[in-house]
Structure formats: structure tokens, C-alpha cells
Amino acid sequence: MGLERVQQVRLAADLHPQFPVITVGGTNGKGSVCAMLEAILSEAGYRVGCYTSPHLLRFNERIRIHRQEAPDEAICAAFSAIESARQMHQTSLTYFEVGTLAAMWLFIRQSVEVAILEVGLGGRLDAVNAFDPDCAVVTSIDLDHQDYLGNTRGAIGLEKIGIFRKHKPAVCAEPEIPFIVRQHMQEMGANLFLLNEHFSYQSEDLCWHYQGHHRQDCNLPLPALNGACQLQNASAVLATLEAMEAKLPVAQDCIRRGLERVSLTGRFQQIAINPAVVVDVAHNPGAVRQLAANLNAAVPDGQTIAVVAMLKDKDIVSTIRELVGSVDCWVVAGLEVSRGASAKEMQVALRQAGIDHKCLIGVFSNVSLAYAYACDYANENDRICVFGSFHTVGAVLEVFAAINR
């Protein structure tokens, strides 16, 4: 792992953005922060390029310009340009590295006025870090990708803040920053915007308030994304806009419209009723802890039935354990990808997490079969919750789309 190869190809492809770049990292909440930034800046009239990952159904979802997915032809042209630059150095690039460089190639040629880049994994050695951000955001610090980033929140946090730059705004919405991370932040010399120190938020029933360095926004509409965690994410967004105010001024009415109109697939998203079907890409203990809180905030008249499939390199047992007490019945499935856990491995993990075997009502080789069974099993007062991976949610969304064509 490293940025040397990416930097070589970036220079060969002449990728030198002349517009502000906002880089967003963190364990959970990255997609939500990117979506809210994209919505608000678009409402303010800026031509926004947004690069996120992974996708659910189409690669095109990863590269958006002016809130539209890049078309196939444009993406292929970008791939071709990056491949030509790669061949100049006879070096290798990963799938994600090619996608990152291709996205920036498109943003430059489409004359975007600001680019939002979501970190894929970690931060310090992630491909998006080949581009110096004008503002960097870390949404949260929790356990995930331990094989790559370390086994403690401190070690993981050090990788996350690798996207910060000296004398540039650096926003961190993690409320419990590990000591070693805080110490390193201060040594880096970035202009820090820390939650509960430099900015804060307060929730009310139908609105919320933001208090920052030198601005206060009261009676803001709740974000149109489900989940209590979205106010923490939204506060990071407003801190970012405050930090970038000189380069990207945004009126408060644009903030309000952006919060009201933001959308993001697969984040505690209800896709059906009677029975209710909720899909969530949560795939680590921290994210599923928030999923449990969201489920507990609105308990259905009937049962909650979980459909879960995960990648085998995740902490499956600890992740499932977060939903003990919030789920009545479980349906497990295998993921038909190279990193996917098998149905048998999911069944074993369920037992290790302390789930009573009587609560396991189905074991299936793939997500489509598991989801179909849950739908047959559920009555109209029940709730089906699909979670565990982007692959899991993507499979269900594909089935749902086919049914509703």
C-alpha cells in the first residue's frame, strides 16, 4: 500500500484540479456527509463533482456531476485516459485507484466548481489522498478494517486523520477522540474544527441548531436522511461549510433546501410497507449499534425479522451482537463474492453472538433467496431489516427493482 504509484499516474495524466477539494473520511457516516455537502452546494448553484464508494447497483453511482451519474461513455473515456497514463510508467493500479483517478479526470474536464471525494479505506494511504484537500473531514472513528488499519481506535484514527493538511481546515465529528489521535492532530498543524469544542449541535423535536466558530444557525430542518446519527453528520457538514466560507459561500436558505432534499440509498431506507422493509448498509459494530437505536425508536406491532449477509473479513460476531434484543427472527445468507461469508459461517457467527437457535428461521445460499423467504414469512405488521453489506442491500434493491418494473 502507498501513494507512489497513484501519484505517478496522476502526474502523467496531468490531474491538477484548480477547484476546491473536500475529502471525507471516517468509519461511518462518510456517505451521508458527502450526500449532504453535495445537496447543499448544488442548491447554492455550484457545479459539484462527487466521488463515493462502493456502489450498490451500477459503477456509475460512484461518479456524479451536477447530481447526475456519469454516463458510460464518459467513464470509459476516463478509464482510457488513465490507462494510457499508467502505461507510460509501466506500473500497476488497483480497481479503486483507477476509479479515483478517472473520477478526477472527469471532474476536471467537466469544469466542476468543487469536488467531494469519499475515502475508500483508512485515509493516509487511500487513493483520494493523492489530491491535497482544501478541507478534510473525519466523520467518526470506530473499529473496522482492522486487518489494514489496526486493532484499536487510536491506530485507526491515526490512519483516518492522514487526510488532514497543515494550515488547512480539518473537521472531526468524532465526539470521543482517542488521546493519541488528538495529540497527533495538534502536531500536524491543521486548522482544527472539533465537535463539542469548535462546533456543536442541539436537537429539538422538529428542528435543530448549529453553533460554530462565528456563525449560528437556528431552527434548521432535520435532514431528509433517517437516523439519529444524521444530526452529528449534518453538524460536520455545517462545520465544513463554515470552514470553506471564503471559497464557497453558501446562503442559509440553500442549507435548508439541501438538508430537506438530500437523498442517499441504503441508509436506514424504507423501501416497502405492509410489511415494512428497511435496508441499511451497516457492516461494523458502530454502524449496527446505530441501526439498533433506529429500530428501537419505532417498534412495529409485529416482529422484526433480520436478513443478514456479510463479508468474512468483518467482525461478524460483534456486529450481530449489537442487534440482540432488537430483532425477533433471523434469516442468514451467504454472499456470492470472493470475500463473502458463506451461509454456514453466518449461522455459526449467529450462535457465537448469543442468538438462540430458535430465532434462526432460515439459512440460504444467497441474499435473494433469504429475502424472498423473509417476505413470505412476514405478516403485514412485521418489519424486515436487511443489513450487513453493500452487497446485501444491493441484492435486495435489485430484486425490489425487478418486481416493480
Side-chain angles (χ1 to χ4, degrees):
M1 295 178 69
L3 296 178
E4 294 81 5
R5 294 170 294 101
V6 181
Q7 289 287 18
Q8 283 182 337
V9 180
R10 179 184 74 82
L11 294 174
D14 194 27
L15 300 182
H16 301 282
Q18 300 302 306
F19 42 78
V21 172
I22 300 172
T23 301
V24 181
T27 306
N28 298 306
K30 298 188 296 291
S32 297
V33 167
C34 288
M36 283 188 264
L37 280 171
E38 180 185 25
I40 292 170
L41 289 169
S42 296
E43 291 293 337
Y46 295 104
R47 184 172 175 81
V48 182
C50 191
Y51 173 63
T52 61
S53 64
H55 60 272
L56 285 163
L57 299 176
R58 301 172 303 281
F59 182 90
N60 310 59
E61 298 168 23
R62 297 179 179 228
I63 305 174
R64 297 189 298 276
I65 299 172
H66 206 45
R67 305 194 80 177
Q68 299 294 316
E69 293 176 8
D72 293 350
E73 297 79 5
I75 293 174
C76 288
F79 284 165
S80 180
I82 299 307
E83 174 61 10
S84 295
R86 185 196 67 79
Q87 289 181 353
M88 290 173 60
H89 286 280
Q90 291 295 301
T91 189
S92 62
L93 290 176
T94 68
Y95 172 84
F96 183 78
E97 288 167 347
V98 172
T100 302
L101 294 172
M104 186 58 77
W105 188 89
L106 276 175
F107 294 161
I108 290 171
R109 276 145 190 82
Q110 291 292 320
S111 301
V112 304
E113 295 169 292
V114 55
I116 302 164
L117 307 180
E118 180 184 354
V119 169
L121 190 158
R124 182 175 63 90
L125 299 176
D126 191 83
V128 303
N129 208 30
F131 300 97
D132 286 327
D134 294 84
C135 180
V137 185
V138 169
T139 57
S140 63
I141 301 170
D142 214 327
L143 297 178
D144 199 6
H145 299 293
Q146 288 99 310
D147 289 347
Y148 295 96
L149 305 179
N151 292 316
T152 67
R153 291 180 65 248
I156 290 170
L158 291 177
E159 294 295 325
K160 302 290 184 189
I161 65 170
I163 61 175
F164 290 175
R165 294 296 191 273
K166 189 174 184 178
H167 303 317
K168 295 292 181 69
V171 176
C172 183
E174 169 57 53
E176 298 179 2
I177 301 171
F179 175 79
I180 191 171
V181 178
R182 179 183 293 274
Q183 187 178 44
H184 195 62
M185 278 181 179
Q186 293 167 344
E187 292 171 356
M188 293 175 78
N191 297 334
L192 297 176
F193 289 73
L194 306 182
L195 179 63
N196 297 329
E197 295 182 38
H198 306 105
F199 68 95
S200 61
Y201 66 93
Q202 182 180 354
S203 173
E204 294 192 9
D205 288 340
L206 299 175
C207 65
W208 67 289
H209 315 294
Y210 169 82
Q211 178 67 54
H213 259 313
H214 56 266
R215 67 177 292 170
Q216 182 174 352
D217 296 293
C218 298
N219 301 316
L220 292 164
L222 298 174
L225 302 178
N226 293 322
C229 63
Q230 295 302 348
L231 285 187
Q232 180 176 319
N233 293 331
S235 72
V237 168
L238 265 63
T240 302
L241 295 175
E242 183 176 3
M244 294 292 290
E245 195 167 24
K247 291 186 176 182
L248 297 168
V250 176
Q252 192 184 65
D253 63 327
C254 300
I255 293 173
R256 301 179 69 86
R257 289 199 304 271
L259 291 173
E260 291 170 337
R261 297 175 183 178
V262 63
S263 63
L264 184 61
T265 304
R267 275 66 168 186
F268 201 68
Q269 177 188 7
Q270 183 166 327
I271 62 173
I273 56 174
N274 302 326
V277 178
V278 174
V279 295
D280 198 307
V281 296
H283 54 266
N284 58 54
V288 173
R289 194 176 307 126
Q290 184 59 56
L291 171 60
N294 292 337
L295 291 173
N296 295 340
V299 179
D301 292 333
Q303 300 184 101
T304 294
I305 304 161
V307 176
V308 58
M310 295 183 65
L311 298 176
K312 58 189 172 186
D313 54 10
K314 298 296 180 181
D315 187 350
I316 300 176
V317 174
S318 296
T319 300
I320 289 174
R321 194 176 286 135
E322 293 291 343
L323 279 177
V324 173
S326 301
V327 168
D328 301 292
C329 305
W330 294 79
V331 184
V332 300
L335 278 181
E336 299 175 308
V337 296
S338 60
R339 292 165 56 206
S342 67
K344 180 64 175 177
E345 288 170 322
M346 292 300 303
Q347 186 177 4
V348 170
L350 213 70
R351 183 171 66 249
Q352 292 174 341
I355 307 298
D356 191 304
H357 70 93
K358 295 176 183 177
C359 298
L360 177 60
I361 61 173
V363 180
F364 295 90
S365 60
N366 63 59
V367 174
S368 298
L369 292 173
Y371 177 63
Y373 179 80
C375 289
D376 289 339
Y377 181 89
N379 65 46
E380 64 178 13
N381 294 320
D382 291 337
R383 173 175 60 188
I384 299 170
C385 175
V386 180
F387 79 99
S389 171
F390 277 80
H391 298 287
T392 310
V393 170
V396 168
L397 291 178
E398 200 163 12
V399 170
F400 188 77
I403 292 172
N404 290 279
R405 283 194 184 110

